[in-house]
Amino acid sequence: MTTELAVDSPSGLAHPGRRRSKWRWRAIVFAPAGDGSTRRRASDAVRLGLALVIVVVGSLIVRADSSPELRLENFLHAAPQGIKWLITTVWYAGTLGVIAGLVLMALLARRTTLARNAVLAGAAAWLGCGIAGWVLGANGGRAPIEGLGDVNQGYPLARVATTVAVATIALPYLNRAWHRLVVVLVALASICTVVNGAGLPFNVIVSLALGWGMAAGVTLIFGSPVGLPSPFEVGDSLADIGVDMADIAAVHDQVWGVARYSGRGEGGSDLDVSVYGRDAASAQWLAKVWRFFVYRDSGPTLQLTRLQQVEHEAYLAMLTGHLGVGAPRIVASGIGGPAHDALLVTEPPPGRPFGELEASDVSDAVLDAALSTMLELRRADVSHGGISPRTLVLGSDGSVGLTDFRKASSGAPARRLDLDLAGAMATCALVVGAERTAEAAHRTLDGPTMAAVLLCLQPAGLDPLVIKAVHHDKELLTALRERCAAKAGVDLPELTELKRVSITNLVLIVGSIIGIWALVGVLADVSDSFSTLEGAAWGWVAVVFVFSQVPNFAKAWALTGAVPGEMPLGAVTQLQFANNFTALVGGSMGTLAMTIRFFQRRGYDATVAISAGVLDSTVSWVVKGLIFLISLPFAIGALDFGNKQTETGSGNEVWIILAIVVGVGVLAGAVWFIPKIRHLTVDKLKPHVASAWSNLKILAHQPRKLVAVVLGNVGQQLFIALALGAALHAFGQHLSLAVLFVVITLASMVGAVSPVPGGMGLVEAGLIAGLAAAGIPQNAAVAAVFTQRLFTAYLPPIWGWFIMVWMRRKDLI
């Protein structure tokens, strides 16, 4: 940290080395603050995920009332009465004392970042304990244990979780002595919690994990002070591999997964250093595993060790240089430093990054060279993977080179190569504008290559630095695409307009009247069942909310599998949430329009979106049919649409379902027996079936994609059923999963043939009729259906609208 000097000399000048005595205690407690910078660490994400797993598994163990836990509690709780005062003292000192002491010292030392993060982590841990207790019950779902009446059996333990959260946040800021003291105090306090009867052993363990995870979440949001090695540490690590480097400084624009530094080597040459530490390995692993599950094209080969990451980057840089393209020269590599970091030292190609150039610095020959460089790599199937104004370099002789081969890959697929060219064109346009870049592209690229690149020239598919730069000029890429298409004489794929499309307004109006009538009846029944709603188990209602959102993730996973190219799961999930609003106001056509536009923003043709949608819908109905047929034998004995419905006094829903089934039968008969209608139907369906079949043949060579389509749709149906089952539990009722599948499938068939968006009203009527036929009392059935549909149909359009607005601002749709 910066040392504050006294100014008590007669001249008013500070005496070097004379510190203000009132700040000396900070050096005793806190470690040096350095430059005060923080960095998000991938290891925090790993810790957060691990803590979540421990909490979930621990919660299941807590409910099991394991005998080893009870024996351990009886053994530790039997401490002699004479030392109870000591145990209580350590317990208070290691919990409340640690919390108050650390926060107070942070405030007195003016470590505002530490104080803020500690307070946030402690509050998050306390709130998490409250939510867990509310959902699972005061004792975590287990009955009171006899013989331990004087032991606090509450779950989880807010004091323990809050202490661990605050301590975990503070540890990186403390010097070694205080670091060890806090760890010892928290460990002793955890043991004393059990000995003192303030908590059961597994409750303490789960509370420790909860606090640890909350602290990881806070540092993941705000950053950690130990995320980036200091230049002195990097210098010592370089000395271990025989490199003497001066003026070492961290690069301003750091990337997640590797630490970047620059400096001067022997003779004054510029050198770059890539440090792959323990956290960098975690980041690489997380990124690769994530891409492996959500992309068909998962990027470069997965490297599980930091040395493999260095070898990968060095190999691609050497391969690029061998192809005659300007690339970094490998100076040294190896393992160094006390943390055994993997280091790669390179001499970058001479020149300036494109991000530092003006339009007058870039001639037409330079633009041609930039695109020709990408073509050289393209011929060898080598992809850089991160073309941006930082990685594209202009040499003094007019040549163009590349830096940072961390994301590069050999044997790359065509789409990854197209993205490199698109990134180079966008980078050039940021410097010289769309017109000159289009002219250079016309000179260097042929028609088919230009058409392929135009599909990828969308913000969502480019490097994050390019996306950030073009965000300030949203019309740049549009102008570039239009000019390139015009000069190359290729058709420019237009983005589908987001507007409501209604095929038959009359049918929609009539269907809406039917749906509103049915929905009014449901809401009237809800008002009659208000006393039932008041008695709901709100923990189960919270479970309904969670299960009701999971189908969006499952459906997004299925859609990523239906696409023969790469598609990020996170973005597709946002699309599914946004479509909850679009489906309400625009129906199925509005949803299709936004999906097509989303695909086009990712660089795909509209036919890909249509064929993927057709394939996904087809698989969805096949899955529903198979689940229905498998469940029907197990559920048929529990359903009675005659007597059960009569006993409840309401048969309207059954008549509605029967009328719709008859209507569907008449329609199917007309399609089959009337040649004109049959031929018209075949002509309309044939292109979609052919498109889906073509898509399916492509995916047949990618089993993982087909598995995603099938399991995604299975998961969607499963969690919809679980949400309805949890809603029944909230009102003291339950049904088997087979019965729920049959009821939901019949209700979805009713909603599917309704022109009302989401089958509003008719789906509710079908669900109530099915539950009543399964023996659920009318009031409970109405309340359960209303609760489930509240979180699956009524409320999602609200946050779907906000997500849609956010996606439009980010040019994702």
Short mmCIF file of all heavy atoms in Angstrom, two decimals, residues 647-692:
data_model
loop_
_atom_site.label_atom_id
_atom_site.label_comp_id
_atom_site.label_asym_id
_atom_site.label_seq_id
_atom_site.Cartn_x
_atom_site.Cartn_y
_atom_site.Cartn_z
N GLU A 647 -69.15 -35.89 -9.07
CA GLU A 647 -69.10 -35.66 -7.63
C GLU A 647 -68.65 -34.26 -7.31
O GLU A 647 -69.05 -33.66 -6.32
CB GLU A 647 -68.17 -36.68 -6.98
CG GLU A 647 -68.73 -38.10 -7.03
CD GLU A 647 -67.68 -39.12 -6.63
OE1 GLU A 647 -66.58 -38.70 -6.25
OE2 GLU A 647 -67.96 -40.33 -6.70
N THR A 648 -67.78 -33.69 -8.09
CA THR A 648 -67.28 -32.34 -7.81
C THR A 648 -68.28 -31.28 -8.22
O THR A 648 -68.14 -30.12 -7.88
CB THR A 648 -65.97 -32.10 -8.55
OG1 THR A 648 -66.20 -32.26 -9.94
CG2 THR A 648 -64.88 -33.04 -8.09
N GLY A 649 -69.25 -31.68 -9.02
CA GLY A 649 -70.30 -30.75 -9.37
C GLY A 649 -69.97 -29.86 -10.53
O GLY A 649 -70.64 -28.90 -10.78
N SER A 650 -68.92 -30.15 -11.28
CA SER A 650 -68.54 -29.30 -12.42
C SER A 650 -68.18 -30.19 -13.58
O SER A 650 -67.21 -30.91 -13.53
CB SER A 650 -67.38 -28.38 -12.05
OG SER A 650 -66.97 -27.66 -13.18
N GLY A 651 -68.96 -30.13 -14.67
CA GLY A 651 -68.65 -30.94 -15.84
C GLY A 651 -68.34 -30.12 -17.06
O GLY A 651 -68.20 -30.67 -18.14
N ASN A 652 -68.22 -28.79 -16.92
CA ASN A 652 -67.98 -27.93 -18.07
C ASN A 652 -66.67 -28.27 -18.77
O ASN A 652 -66.57 -28.27 -19.99
CB ASN A 652 -67.97 -26.47 -17.64
CG ASN A 652 -69.34 -26.01 -17.19
OD1 ASN A 652 -70.36 -26.56 -17.60
ND2 ASN A 652 -69.37 -24.99 -16.33
N GLU A 653 -65.63 -28.56 -17.94
CA GLU A 653 -64.32 -28.81 -18.53
C GLU A 653 -64.34 -30.05 -19.41
O GLU A 653 -63.72 -30.10 -20.48
CB GLU A 653 -63.25 -28.96 -17.42
CG GLU A 653 -63.02 -27.69 -16.61
CD GLU A 653 -63.97 -27.58 -15.43
OE1 GLU A 653 -64.92 -28.39 -15.39
OE2 GLU A 653 -63.78 -26.67 -14.60
N VAL A 654 -65.06 -31.09 -18.96
CA VAL A 654 -65.12 -32.32 -19.75
C VAL A 654 -65.79 -32.08 -21.09
O VAL A 654 -65.35 -32.56 -22.13
CB VAL A 654 -65.86 -33.43 -18.96
CG1 VAL A 654 -66.04 -34.67 -19.81
CG2 VAL A 654 -65.09 -33.77 -17.70
N TRP A 655 -66.89 -31.29 -21.07
CA TRP A 655 -67.59 -31.00 -22.32
C TRP A 655 -66.70 -30.20 -23.26
O TRP A 655 -66.75 -30.40 -24.49
CB TRP A 655 -68.89 -30.25 -22.03
CG TRP A 655 -69.96 -31.13 -21.43
CD1 TRP A 655 -70.42 -31.09 -20.16
CD2 TRP A 655 -70.65 -32.18 -22.09
NE1 TRP A 655 -71.37 -32.07 -19.96
CE2 TRP A 655 -71.54 -32.76 -21.14
CE3 TRP A 655 -70.60 -32.71 -23.39
CZ2 TRP A 655 -72.36 -33.82 -21.46
CZ3 TRP A 655 -71.45 -33.77 -23.70
CH2 TRP A 655 -72.32 -34.31 -22.74
N ILE A 656 -65.94 -29.28 -22.71
CA ILE A 656 -65.02 -28.52 -23.56
C ILE A 656 -64.01 -29.44 -24.22
O ILE A 656 -63.74 -29.37 -25.43
CB ILE A 656 -64.30 -27.44 -22.72
CG1 ILE A 656 -65.30 -26.39 -22.24
CG2 ILE A 656 -63.19 -26.78 -23.54
CD1 ILE A 656 -64.69 -25.39 -21.27
N ILE A 657 -63.42 -30.34 -23.42
CA ILE A 657 -62.42 -31.26 -23.96
C ILE A 657 -63.04 -32.17 -25.02
O ILE A 657 -62.47 -32.38 -26.10
CB ILE A 657 -61.80 -32.09 -22.82
CG1 ILE A 657 -61.02 -31.17 -21.88
CG2 ILE A 657 -60.89 -33.17 -23.37
CD1 ILE A 657 -60.49 -31.86 -20.65
N LEU A 658 -64.24 -32.70 -24.73
CA LEU A 658 -64.89 -33.58 -25.70
C LEU A 658 -65.20 -32.84 -27.00
O LEU A 658 -65.02 -33.38 -28.10
CB LEU A 658 -66.18 -34.15 -25.10
CG LEU A 658 -65.99 -35.18 -23.98
CD1 LEU A 658 -67.35 -35.61 -23.41
CD2 LEU A 658 -65.22 -36.40 -24.48
N ALA A 659 -65.65 -31.59 -26.88
CA ALA A 659 -65.96 -30.81 -28.09
C ALA A 659 -64.71 -30.59 -28.93
O ALA A 659 -64.74 -30.69 -30.16
CB ALA A 659 -66.58 -29.48 -27.68
N ILE A 660 -63.60 -30.30 -28.26
CA ILE A 660 -62.35 -30.06 -29.00
C ILE A 660 -61.85 -31.34 -29.64
O ILE A 660 -61.38 -31.35 -30.78
CB ILE A 660 -61.30 -29.44 -28.07
CG1 ILE A 660 -61.73 -28.03 -27.67
CG2 ILE A 660 -59.93 -29.42 -28.71
CD1 ILE A 660 -60.80 -27.36 -26.68
N VAL A 661 -61.93 -32.46 -28.90
CA VAL A 661 -61.49 -33.74 -29.46
C VAL A 661 -62.31 -34.09 -30.69
O VAL A 661 -61.79 -34.54 -31.72
CB VAL A 661 -61.57 -34.85 -28.39
CG1 VAL A 661 -61.35 -36.21 -29.03
CG2 VAL A 661 -60.56 -34.60 -27.29
N VAL A 662 -63.64 -33.88 -30.61
CA VAL A 662 -64.50 -34.15 -31.76
C VAL A 662 -64.13 -33.24 -32.93
O VAL A 662 -64.06 -33.66 -34.08
CB VAL A 662 -65.98 -33.98 -31.38
CG1 VAL A 662 -66.87 -34.04 -32.61
CG2 VAL A 662 -66.39 -35.05 -30.37
N GLY A 663 -63.87 -31.96 -32.61
CA GLY A 663 -63.48 -31.02 -33.66
C GLY A 663 -62.19 -31.43 -34.33
O GLY A 663 -62.06 -31.34 -35.56
N VAL A 664 -61.22 -31.87 -33.55
CA VAL A 664 -59.95 -32.33 -34.12
C VAL A 664 -60.18 -33.56 -35.00
O VAL A 664 -59.60 -33.69 -36.08
CB VAL A 664 -58.94 -32.64 -32.99
CG1 VAL A 664 -57.70 -33.31 -33.56
CG2 VAL A 664 -58.56 -31.36 -32.27
N GLY A 665 -61.08 -34.47 -34.55
CA GLY A 665 -61.37 -35.65 -35.35
C GLY A 665 -62.01 -35.29 -36.68
O GLY A 665 -61.67 -35.85 -37.72
N VAL A 666 -62.95 -34.35 -36.65
CA VAL A 666 -63.59 -33.91 -37.89
C VAL A 666 -62.58 -33.26 -38.83
O VAL A 666 -62.57 -33.50 -40.05
CB VAL A 666 -64.75 -32.93 -37.57
CG1 VAL A 666 -65.30 -32.31 -38.85
CG2 VAL A 666 -65.86 -33.66 -36.81
N LEU A 667 -61.72 -32.43 -38.28
CA LEU A 667 -60.69 -31.78 -39.10
C LEU A 667 -59.76 -32.80 -39.71
O LEU A 667 -59.41 -32.71 -40.89
CB LEU A 667 -59.92 -30.77 -38.24
CG LEU A 667 -58.80 -29.99 -38.95
CD1 LEU A 667 -59.39 -29.15 -40.08
CD2 LEU A 667 -58.08 -29.08 -37.96
N ALA A 668 -59.32 -33.78 -38.91
CA ALA A 668 -58.42 -34.81 -39.43
C ALA A 668 -59.11 -35.61 -40.53
O ALA A 668 -58.49 -35.96 -41.55
CB ALA A 668 -57.97 -35.73 -38.30
N GLY A 669 -60.41 -35.90 -40.34
CA GLY A 669 -61.14 -36.63 -41.37
C GLY A 669 -61.25 -35.83 -42.66
O GLY A 669 -61.11 -36.38 -43.76
N ALA A 670 -61.48 -34.52 -42.55
CA ALA A 670 -61.56 -33.68 -43.74
C ALA A 670 -60.24 -33.66 -44.48
O ALA A 670 -60.19 -33.72 -45.72
CB ALA A 670 -62.00 -32.27 -43.34
N VAL A 671 -59.16 -33.55 -43.73
CA VAL A 671 -57.84 -33.54 -44.36
C VAL A 671 -57.57 -34.85 -45.08
O VAL A 671 -56.97 -34.89 -46.16
CB VAL A 671 -56.75 -33.25 -43.31
CG1 VAL A 671 -55.37 -33.46 -43.89
CG2 VAL A 671 -56.91 -31.83 -42.77
N TRP A 672 -58.02 -35.96 -44.50
CA TRP A 672 -57.69 -37.27 -45.06
C TRP A 672 -58.60 -37.66 -46.22
O TRP A 672 -58.13 -38.24 -47.22
CB TRP A 672 -57.77 -38.32 -43.95
CG TRP A 672 -57.43 -39.70 -44.42
CD1 TRP A 672 -58.29 -40.72 -44.72
CD2 TRP A 672 -56.12 -40.20 -44.68
NE1 TRP A 672 -57.61 -41.83 -45.13
CE2 TRP A 672 -56.25 -41.54 -45.12
CE3 TRP A 672 -54.85 -39.65 -44.59
CZ2 TRP A 672 -55.17 -42.33 -45.46
CZ3 TRP A 672 -53.76 -40.44 -44.93
CH2 TRP A 672 -53.92 -41.76 -45.36
N PHE A 673 -59.88 -37.36 -46.11
CA PHE A 673 -60.83 -37.88 -47.09
C PHE A 673 -61.14 -36.90 -48.22
O PHE A 673 -61.64 -37.31 -49.27
CB PHE A 673 -62.14 -38.28 -46.40
CG PHE A 673 -61.97 -39.49 -45.51
CD1 PHE A 673 -61.96 -39.35 -44.13
CD2 PHE A 673 -61.82 -40.75 -46.06
CE1 PHE A 673 -61.82 -40.46 -43.32
CE2 PHE A 673 -61.68 -41.87 -45.25
CZ PHE A 673 -61.66 -41.73 -43.86
N ILE A 674 -60.94 -35.60 -48.06
CA ILE A 674 -61.23 -34.64 -49.12
C ILE A 674 -59.94 -34.37 -49.89
O ILE A 674 -58.99 -33.80 -49.35
CB ILE A 674 -61.80 -33.33 -48.55
CG1 ILE A 674 -63.09 -33.62 -47.75
CG2 ILE A 674 -62.08 -32.32 -49.66
CD1 ILE A 674 -63.67 -32.40 -47.09
N PRO A 675 -59.83 -34.81 -51.14
CA PRO A 675 -58.57 -34.71 -51.88
C PRO A 675 -58.02 -33.29 -51.96
O PRO A 675 -56.81 -33.08 -51.82
CB PRO A 675 -58.93 -35.25 -53.27
CG PRO A 675 -60.12 -36.12 -53.04
CD PRO A 675 -60.89 -35.47 -51.92
N LYS A 676 -58.88 -32.32 -52.22
CA LYS A 676 -58.39 -30.95 -52.37
C LYS A 676 -57.72 -30.45 -51.09
O LYS A 676 -56.63 -29.86 -51.13
CB LYS A 676 -59.56 -30.03 -52.75
CG LYS A 676 -59.12 -28.61 -53.07
CD LYS A 676 -60.31 -27.78 -53.56
CE LYS A 676 -59.85 -26.38 -53.92
NZ LYS A 676 -60.99 -25.54 -54.40
N ILE A 677 -58.38 -30.71 -49.95
CA ILE A 677 -57.80 -30.28 -48.68
C ILE A 677 -56.54 -31.08 -48.38
O ILE A 677 -55.54 -30.55 -47.87
CB ILE A 677 -58.83 -30.43 -47.54
CG1 ILE A 677 -60.05 -29.54 -47.82
CG2 ILE A 677 -58.20 -30.09 -46.20
CD1 ILE A 677 -61.11 -29.65 -46.74
N ARG A 678 -56.58 -32.40 -48.72
CA ARG A 678 -55.41 -33.24 -48.46
C ARG A 678 -54.21 -32.76 -49.26
O ARG A 678 -53.10 -32.65 -48.75
CB ARG A 678 -55.73 -34.69 -48.81
CG ARG A 678 -54.57 -35.64 -48.47
CD ARG A 678 -54.97 -37.10 -48.63
NE ARG A 678 -55.20 -37.44 -50.03
CZ ARG A 678 -56.37 -37.78 -50.52
NH1 ARG A 678 -57.44 -37.80 -49.74
NH2 ARG A 678 -56.51 -38.08 -51.80
N HIS A 679 -54.41 -32.45 -50.56
CA HIS A 679 -53.30 -31.99 -51.40
C HIS A 679 -52.78 -30.63 -50.91
O HIS A 679 -51.57 -30.38 -50.91
CB HIS A 679 -53.74 -31.90 -52.86
CG HIS A 679 -54.05 -33.23 -53.47
ND1 HIS A 679 -53.27 -34.34 -53.26
CD2 HIS A 679 -55.08 -33.63 -54.30
CE1 HIS A 679 -53.77 -35.37 -53.92
NE2 HIS A 679 -54.88 -34.97 -54.55
N LEU A 680 -53.70 -29.75 -50.50
CA LEU A 680 -53.28 -28.44 -50.01
C LEU A 680 -52.45 -28.58 -48.73
O LEU A 680 -51.42 -27.92 -48.57
CB LEU A 680 -54.52 -27.57 -49.74
CG LEU A 680 -54.25 -26.16 -49.20
CD1 LEU A 680 -53.44 -25.35 -50.21
CD2 LEU A 680 -55.56 -25.45 -48.87
N THR A 681 -52.89 -29.49 -47.85
CA THR A 681 -52.15 -29.71 -46.61
C THR A 681 -50.77 -30.29 -46.89
O THR A 681 -49.76 -29.87 -46.30
CB THR A 681 -52.94 -30.65 -45.68
OG1 THR A 681 -54.24 -30.10 -45.45
CG2 THR A 681 -52.22 -30.84 -44.36
N VAL A 682 -50.71 -31.26 -47.80
CA VAL A 682 -49.41 -31.88 -48.13
C VAL A 682 -48.47 -30.85 -48.73
O VAL A 682 -47.27 -30.81 -48.41
CB VAL A 682 -49.63 -33.07 -49.09
CG1 VAL A 682 -48.29 -33.56 -49.65
CG2 VAL A 682 -50.35 -34.19 -48.39
N ASP A 683 -49.00 -29.99 -49.63
CA ASP A 683 -48.16 -28.97 -50.24
C ASP A 683 -47.60 -27.99 -49.20
O ASP A 683 -46.47 -27.51 -49.33
CB ASP A 683 -48.96 -28.20 -51.30
CG ASP A 683 -49.30 -29.07 -52.51
OD1 ASP A 683 -48.62 -30.09 -52.71
OD2 ASP A 683 -50.26 -28.72 -53.23
N LYS A 684 -48.42 -27.69 -48.19
CA LYS A 684 -47.96 -26.77 -47.15
C LYS A 684 -46.93 -27.42 -46.23
O LYS A 684 -45.96 -26.78 -45.79
CB LYS A 684 -49.15 -26.27 -46.32
CG LYS A 684 -50.11 -25.37 -47.08
CD LYS A 684 -49.47 -24.03 -47.39
CE LYS A 684 -50.47 -23.09 -48.05
NZ LYS A 684 -49.85 -21.76 -48.37
N LEU A 685 -47.14 -28.69 -45.91
CA LEU A 685 -46.27 -29.36 -44.94
C LEU A 685 -45.00 -29.93 -45.58
O LEU A 685 -44.00 -30.10 -44.89
CB LEU A 685 -47.03 -30.49 -44.25
CG LEU A 685 -48.19 -30.09 -43.33
CD1 LEU A 685 -48.85 -31.32 -42.75
CD2 LEU A 685 -47.70 -29.17 -42.21
N LYS A 686 -45.05 -30.25 -46.86
CA LYS A 686 -43.93 -30.94 -47.49
C LYS A 686 -42.61 -30.18 -47.38
O LYS A 686 -41.58 -30.77 -47.05
CB LYS A 686 -44.27 -31.21 -48.97
CG LYS A 686 -43.23 -32.09 -49.65
CD LYS A 686 -43.68 -32.43 -51.08
CE LYS A 686 -42.65 -33.33 -51.76
NZ LYS A 686 -43.08 -33.68 -53.14
N PRO A 687 -42.56 -28.85 -47.65
CA PRO A 687 -41.27 -28.15 -47.51
C PRO A 687 -40.72 -28.21 -46.09
O PRO A 687 -39.51 -28.37 -45.90
CB PRO A 687 -41.61 -26.71 -47.94
CG PRO A 687 -42.85 -26.82 -48.75
CD PRO A 687 -43.62 -27.94 -48.15
N HIS A 688 -41.59 -28.09 -45.10
CA HIS A 688 -41.13 -28.12 -43.72
C HIS A 688 -40.62 -29.51 -43.34
O HIS A 688 -39.61 -29.65 -42.65
CB HIS A 688 -42.25 -27.69 -42.77
CG HIS A 688 -42.71 -26.27 -43.00
ND1 HIS A 688 -41.89 -25.18 -42.81
CD2 HIS A 688 -43.91 -25.79 -43.42
CE1 HIS A 688 -42.56 -24.07 -43.09
NE2 HIS A 688 -43.78 -24.41 -43.46
N VAL A 689 -41.34 -30.53 -43.80
CA VAL A 689 -40.91 -31.90 -43.51
C VAL A 689 -39.57 -32.18 -44.18
O VAL A 689 -38.67 -32.80 -43.60
CB VAL A 689 -41.98 -32.90 -43.96
CG1 VAL A 689 -41.49 -34.33 -43.82
CG2 VAL A 689 -43.27 -32.71 -43.16
N ALA A 690 -39.42 -31.74 -45.44
CA ALA A 690 -38.16 -31.95 -46.15
C ALA A 690 -37.01 -31.21 -45.45
O ALA A 690 -35.90 -31.74 -45.33
CB ALA A 690 -38.29 -31.48 -47.60
N SER A 691 -37.29 -29.99 -45.00
CA SER A 691 -36.26 -29.23 -44.29
C SER A 691 -35.86 -29.92 -43.00
O SER A 691 -34.68 -30.03 -42.67
CB SER A 691 -36.76 -27.81 -44.01
OG SER A 691 -35.81 -27.07 -43.30
N ALA A 692 -36.86 -30.37 -42.25
CA ALA A 692 -36.55 -31.06 -40.99
C ALA A 692 -35.79 -32.36 -41.24
O ALA A 692 -34.86 -32.70 -40.50
CB ALA A 692 -37.84 -31.35 -40.22
#
